[in-house]
Amino acid sequence: TRGGPMASPHAGSEWRLRWCFLLQWGLLSAASTPVGSFNRMNTDPLGHLGKMAMLGSWGLRGKFQVPIRKKVLPSRPVPQYTENEDAYESGNLGARVGHGKEFLPPTNFLKGFPVLLSKDKVIRRKKRRITLRPVTKADAPAFAAVVTKNREQFRNTIPWLTNTETWVLRSYLSIWEAEQEDKLALHLLIEIDGKIKGVVNVHTIDWERAIGHLGYWLDADAQGYGIATDAVSWLSNFCLHEYALDYLDISTRVENKRSGKVAERAGYTLMPSVRDFEWVPTADSNDYELVPLSCYIRTVANRRPRLPLVEARPDNFYYKITNPSNRA
């Protein structure tokens, strides 16, 4: 059997002796060969020198060879989320640093925008380009125009937009832009062929509880084509993986079945155990009434959250933030 350095502790010495013996035998054979015999090498490939070379190469073909070390370049870490572990490794993005420890928001909060949601969405028999991008103060005039156009549909869904004056609507974008700079919220405009047609946003991010609260609305002309579902799905995946949040919450009015269907199609689950209400102005806008809400929650499968749902999403969250006594 063929031996080698890994076969026995003396294998290295054995093959050195073997090579030296073959080399000496070849040299002695060449020295004892008449000079004229070397002429036969032209026609006899297996002459003495040919035999010497062949035998020498046979000795080198043994396992006694110096291994060639290949230079292995370190692989560049690929950002990825490990579903089965409580870890998120991604360059300078926000990372979960352990249960009970500080949970850091990402450093590059607005990286990767704008986003192409669809380049060939068929709307009214034409292919449309749909994008998502963060709001800026420069979008105030176009934003206010779309809201004004859709005031009536907001009466039963987003009542605070119904009677808001135009100059106040424009000021909202300055507030939203400041919230994004402080990493407290992410407000994305839904654009169809470059025109503002709606909003999908995580209007409140609680980094301590690792939960975000989502909202969305669409221009009446853009409804019925699955755009809201696509936008909510994309933003939900982004927040759960890029921001490493544990929970996302969509709370809608109980009677708003269409909005609830959007949440379910985007992977959310109705949580009857969560009780919440919203203060909304009455028809004459001189008083407020309480409206019950349905809470839909989405998490990441096989990932243990930092906090249980009852602590991350307590009851009466919207009851508190919409309370008239908190308004200036």
Side-chain angles (χ1 to χ4, degrees):
T1 58
R2 294 182 63 181
M6 300 299 295
S8 68
H10 304 291
S13 301
E14 174 184 335
W15 284 99
R16 288 190 186 94
L17 292 174
R18 175 177 164 183
W19 167 242
C20 292
F21 169 77
L22 292 172
L23 182 62
Q24 289 179 352
W25 182 86
L27 292 175
L28 289 174
S29 299
S32 61
T33 301
V35 176
S37 299
F38 284 101
N39 294 330
R40 295 198 304 270
M41 289 296 297
N42 297 327
T43 57
D44 183 10
L46 294 181
H48 292 291
L49 290 180
K51 291 178 183 179
M52 183 177 69
M54 182 177 65
L55 291 174
S57 64
W58 175 74
L60 286 175
R61 285 196 189 108
K63 289 188 178 179
F64 179 66
Q65 298 180 16
V66 178
I68 299 175
R69 293 186 178 181
K70 296 182 179 180
K71 185 177 181 180
V72 180
L73 297 176
S75 59
R76 181 178 298 177
V78 179
Q80 60 180 353
Y81 176 75
T82 306
E83 294 281 352
N84 296 321
E85 299 178 2
D86 293 323
Y88 183 78
E89 302 173 352
S90 177
N92 60 348
L93 287 177
R96 176 174 288 99
V97 292
H99 296 287
K101 298 182 181 180
E102 184 181 6
F103 183 67
L104 303 175
T107 55
N108 48 356
F109 190 72
L110 298 178
K111 180 182 178 181
F113 292 100
V115 171
L116 178 63
L117 195 63
S118 175
K119 64 179 180 179
D120 54 2
K121 189 77 169 180
V122 178
I123 302 175
R124 291 187 294 277
R125 300 181 181 181
K126 291 185 179 181
K127 292 183 178 181
R128 309 287 183 176
R129 182 182 180 89
I130 304 174
T131 56
L132 303 177
R133 65 173 179 85
V135 300
T136 64
K137 291 181 289 186
D139 298 311
F143 173 80
V146 177
V147 172
T148 302
K149 173 187 173 185
N150 291 272
R151 283 188 188 276
E152 191 58 34
Q153 71 156 324
F154 295 147
R155 193 172 300 280
N156 296 322
T157 55
I158 316 175
W160 60 270
L161 283 176
T162 304
N163 300 317
T164 305
E165 297 182 15
T166 302
W167 70 270
V168 178
L169 291 174
R170 295 187 178 190
S171 68
Y172 280 146
L173 269 67
S174 297
I175 297 173
W176 286 359
E177 192 173 33
E179 288 177 342
Q180 290 177 158
E181 292 176 357
D182 295 335
K183 303 174 184 177
L184 300 176
L186 178 60
H187 305 278
L188 302 180
L189 296 175
I190 303 173
E191 293 185 326
I192 301 178
D193 290 340
K195 297 181 180 180
I196 298 175
K197 292 295 183 178
V199 169
V200 59
N201 60 355
V202 192
H203 57 77
T204 305
I205 300 177
D206 189 334
W207 295 106
E208 291 184 4
R209 292 186 171 93
I211 185 171
H213 302 272
L214 268 74
Y216 47 90
W217 61 263
L218 268 180
D219 187 331
D221 296 339
Q223 296 178 10
Y225 300 98
I227 298 174
T229 300
D230 293 343
V232 171
S233 297
W234 187 93
L235 182 57
S236 300
N237 290 328
F238 181 83
C239 290
L240 289 173
H241 296 286
E242 295 299 313
Y243 291 173
L245 296 177
D246 290 331
Y247 301 100
L248 292 176
D249 161 42
I250 294 178
S251 295
T252 68
R253 292 190 180 189
V254 174
E255 68 272 14
N256 191 354
K257 301 301 182 181
R258 291 185 64 185
S259 185
K261 291 297 183 181
V262 170
E264 291 176 346
R265 287 194 295 267
Y268 287 74
T269 303
L270 177 63
M271 294 292 179
S273 60
V274 180
R275 299 180 67 254
D276 209 341
F277 300 86
E278 180 184 19
W279 290 94
V280 298
T282 57
D284 57 9
S285 301
N286 293 325
D287 201 359
Y288 291 86
E289 61 180 349
L290 278 177
V291 175
L293 300 177
S294 296
C295 177
Y296 296 83
I297 295 294
R298 180 174 167 181
T299 60
V300 177
N302 302 323
R303 186 171 90 189
R304 181 167 59 94
R306 298 171 67 246
L307 296 174
L309 178 61
V310 67
E311 296 182 27
R313 178 45 171 101
D315 292 343
N316 299 321
F317 171 78
Y318 283 98
Y319 175 89
K320 295 177 181 177
I321 66 174
T322 62
N323 195 314
S325 62
N326 296 331
R327 300 174 185 270

